[in-house]
């Protein structure tokens, strides 16, 4: 989220942040939300964030992984 690096980013590239709301690495969603807001502030045009209640660090391996995979697929399909 260093503004100098974010200034170099292509503002038109879609970005999808997803994490478990109980992920200690992502500060239980706070770190992910901070990154999401930094991308918006930097002028990124298409940024989406989803926090999964009860989820932890590896959302693609959690008990609701089918839901997570489907959400990612739906997001990708909406972009192509």
């Amino acid at each position: 989220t260093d503004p100098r690096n974010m200034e170099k980013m292509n503002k038109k590239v879609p970005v999808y942040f997803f994490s478990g709301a109980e992920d200690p690495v992502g500060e239980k969603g706070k770190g992910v939300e901070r990154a999401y807001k930094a991308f918006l502030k930097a002028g990124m045009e298409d940024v989406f964030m989803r926090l999964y209640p009860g989820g932890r660090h590896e959302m693609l391996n959690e008990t609701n992984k089918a839901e997570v995979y489907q959400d990612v697929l739906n997001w990708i399909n909406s972009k192509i």
Side-chain angles (χ1 to χ4, degrees):
T1 59
D2 183 325
R4 295 171 295 181
N5 292 332
M6 298 194 64
E7 188 58 37
K8 299 174 192 174
M9 294 175 66
N10 180 343
K11 306 294 190 250
K12 296 189 180 303
V13 173
V15 178
Y16 183 13
F17 288 101
F18 66 97
S19 180
E22 299 302 318
D23 179 7
V25 176
E27 300 174 60
K28 296 189 175 189
K30 292 177 187 162
V32 178
E33 188 171 351
R34 214 172 23 256
Y36 169 77
K37 288 178 179 178
F39 272 56
L40 291 175
K41 184 177 180 181
M44 298 298 288
E45 296 176 11
D46 187 357
V47 186
F48 181 78
M49 182 186 76
R50 173 104 191 250
L51 295 175
Y52 292 89
R56 291 188 53 91
H57 186 65
E58 294 188 34
M59 288 310 305
L60 298 176
N61 293 315
E62 288 278 2
T63 57
N64 65 330
K65 65 183 176 185
E67 172 191 12
V68 177
Y69 273 99
Q70 189 62 56
D71 289 347
V72 172
L73 180 61
N74 290 343
W75 181 83
I76 290 170
N77 283 335
S78 77
K79 304 301 169 193
I80 56 175

